[in-house]
Amino acid sequence: MPWGIQMPCSCSVPPYLLQESCPCCRKPVNQNLIFVIFKMSKSIGRMKIKCRNEIRGCRATFPLSEKYSHGMSCPFELLDCQHPGCGAQLLRRDMEAHSLQCEYRQQPCHMGCGTLLSPRTQAQHSCYQQLRQEEEAKREQRRAVVATLKRKMRRLQNTMERVKRQIVLICESLEIMDDIEAVEGMGEMVELEEEGLESGDSNASSSTSRSSRSSSSTSS
């Protein structure tokens, strides 16, 4: 049976979603028409078909609804070898025998070093050399990590030095500003004192003139 039924509104939906309206576009659907379509889909699903691998020797016939399940188990289905590097294509029924003899088939080393070996590389394999190469590769990786961390530390130190220099310059500028403000404050105080002295002198002169006038008037 097909997975979806073609509705009158051109939507394709599974049979278990059939309702009074289309579950996709919500258009009303004639129930009698849905029943007819459902019966037709059931009839189509029971139609007998031949396997697509008939040209390779498969003589099986099955309902259309079982097409997918048969395709997943058909012994005449053409498959690619599962081992990387092998481009062989064989029938499913021959794949198991080929996998056991495939020259690209990889298995762990029987000595227990964990290396995956193919029949091609098994004769030249040495566990000692393999472990030595892996250890050297790990050392190189650690050296690269340490070198990267050192570069980052140097960049961080340079950044910190620049920040320190900027802080020193800011502090020096603030001190200069404080000195300028102090000098300006002292100048203002001097000006006030000078103004006070000038006002005192003017008061003294005015009092002297008043006293002279009073003495002259008394003598007269």
Side-chain angles (χ1 to χ4, degrees):
M1 181 176 60
W3 289 104
I5 297 177
Q6 191 69 27
M7 302 290 287
C9 55
S10 300
C11 298
S12 181
V13 297
Y16 60 83
L17 291 179
L18 294 178
Q19 300 174 0
E20 295 182 357
S21 61
C22 176
C24 296
C25 63
R26 297 302 178 185
K27 290 183 179 180
V29 179
N30 188 336
Q31 294 297 308
N32 295 328
L33 184 58
I34 291 178
F35 180 76
V36 172
I37 294 174
F38 183 74
K39 294 293 287 185
M40 288 178 61
S41 66
K42 295 280 285 185
S43 300
I44 293 172
R46 287 193 293 265
M47 292 177 60
K48 297 290 184 178
I49 61 171
K50 294 182 179 180
C51 178
R52 63 180 179 180
N53 298 312
E54 182 182 10
I55 191 173
R56 300 188 185 96
C58 183
R59 298 291 182 264
T61 58
F62 45 84
L64 178 61
S65 58
E66 298 177 5
K67 179 182 178 181
Y68 177 80
S69 60
H70 175 78
M72 296 298 294
S73 60
C74 179
F76 294 91
E77 184 76 14
L78 192 64
L79 303 175
D80 295 327
C81 179
Q82 61 182 349
H83 300 301
C86 180
Q89 288 187 328
L90 300 99
L91 301 180
R92 180 179 274 113
R93 65 179 184 178
D94 302 328
M95 185 58 68
E96 184 177 358
H98 169 77
S99 296
L100 295 175
Q101 300 176 358
C102 180
E103 59 183 2
Y104 293 93
R105 179 173 60 95
Q106 294 183 341
Q107 288 183 332
C109 175
H110 66 281
M111 296 296 292
C113 70
T115 306
L116 294 176
L117 302 173
S118 65
R120 284 184 171 185
T121 59
Q122 192 169 5
Q124 295 84 16
H125 173 67
S126 171
C127 292
Y128 172 74
Q129 292 180 356
Q130 183 68 27
L131 293 174
R132 185 175 181 180
Q133 292 175 359
E134 291 179 357
E135 184 62 27
E136 187 63 29
K138 290 180 181 179
R139 288 179 182 175
E140 290 294 331
Q141 186 177 6
R142 287 194 291 268
R143 292 193 194 99
V145 172
V146 171
T148 302
L149 291 175
K150 287 182 178 180
R151 288 195 297 271
K152 291 183 177 181
M153 286 293 295
R154 284 195 293 269
R155 288 198 296 268
L156 183 60
Q157 290 175 354
N158 294 333
T159 303
M160 292 178 66
E161 289 296 330
R162 289 196 298 270
V163 172
K164 287 181 181 179
R165 289 196 294 270
Q166 292 175 359
I167 291 174
V168 170
L169 292 174
I170 292 171
C171 292
E172 291 178 353
S173 62
L174 291 174
E175 290 177 357
I176 293 172
M177 291 177 65
D178 291 339
D179 293 339
I180 293 172
E181 291 178 356
V183 170
E184 290 178 351
M186 291 177 64
E188 291 178 356
M189 290 177 65
V190 170
E191 290 177 356
L192 292 173
E193 290 178 356
E194 291 178 352
E195 290 177 357
L197 291 174
E198 291 177 355
S199 61
D201 293 339
S202 60
N203 292 332
S205 60
S206 61
S207 61
T208 303
S209 60
R210 284 197 299 272
S211 62
S212 62
R213 289 194 194 99
S214 61
S215 60
S216 59
S217 62
T218 305
S219 60
S220 60

